[in-house]
Amino acid sequence: MLKRRLEHPGTRGAIFRRTFSLVKENHIDKYLQEYPFLQEFYHVGDSEIRFPNGSVIAFRYADTQGAVDAHIGKEYMDIIVDQGEAFNEHEHLTLSSCCRWPGVDETACKYVVTFNPGNVGHKYLQRIFFDKKYR
């Protein structure tokens, strides 16, 4: 995500987890620890790293379907859903609909899902990534 924001000035990327404590512990804290220079660009109130080139890494969480739906209409060039098995099919489709950026070929946008077996998203992720059965 960091590399993509630096390579694509003026773009936004988002990293999603189910709860804020997870996104903070697994992503915000790690970014700031591994890249201390990012601390001057981190905006605590918005949970975003805002770069001088106009790019943003937004750290987001969505603990309910309503929280996922609150992102409808937003635009991110890249989205990473960490622990994607915690999100159901409808939630993935909603988040992936936000993975677009004006003036950029849609193939340049990336929707990345990391996941383990189990939980509510298991059957959907298995169908898409292993069985390759799309609707």
Side-chain angles (χ1 to χ4, degrees):
M1 184 66 74
L2 176 60
K3 184 175 188 252
R4 299 261 304 160
R5 298 296 62 80
L6 296 175
E7 289 176 348
H8 300 279
T11 61
R12 294 178 61 82
I15 299 174
F16 280 87
R17 285 292 305 256
R18 230 356 157 181
T19 66
F20 180 74
S21 63
L22 290 171
V23 79
K24 183 178 184 313
E25 181 179 331
N26 296 141
H27 297 285
I28 297 170
D29 292 347
K30 297 264 174 114
Y31 266 99
L32 299 180
Q33 181 182 35
E34 292 176 18
Y35 305 100
F37 73 93
L38 293 177
Q39 291 184 20
E40 72 177 286
F41 306 116
Y42 180 63
H43 292 257
V44 176
D46 295 324
S47 301
E48 295 180 346
I49 297 174
R50 297 180 190 151
F51 297 95
N53 72 356
S55 289
V56 173
I57 297 175
F59 299 95
R60 300 292 181 250
Y61 71 98
D63 56 353
T64 65
Q65 178 67 55
V68 171
D69 288 345
H71 291 278
I72 292 173
K74 295 186 178 184
E75 295 177 323
Y76 301 100
M77 184 172 173
D78 303 309
I79 294 176
I80 296 174
V81 181
D82 189 17
Q83 298 301 126
E85 74 276 3
F87 294 83
N88 65 40
E89 179 174 0
H90 178 77
E91 292 168 328
H92 277 288
L93 295 175
T94 299
L95 291 175
S96 66
S97 74
C98 301
C99 192
R100 60 187 189 276
W101 198 255
V104 173
D105 178 0
E106 68 181 40
T107 60
C109 298
K110 305 294 179 199
Y111 183 77
V112 177
V113 182
T114 64
F115 59 94
N116 294 302
N119 216 327
V120 299
H122 176 88
K123 287 185 180 183
Y124 169 68
L125 296 170
Q126 178 179 344
R127 180 172 58 80
I128 297 300
F129 293 106
F130 294 99
D131 301 338
K132 306 220 185 289
K133 294 181 180 174
Y134 313 108
R135 294 182 185 153

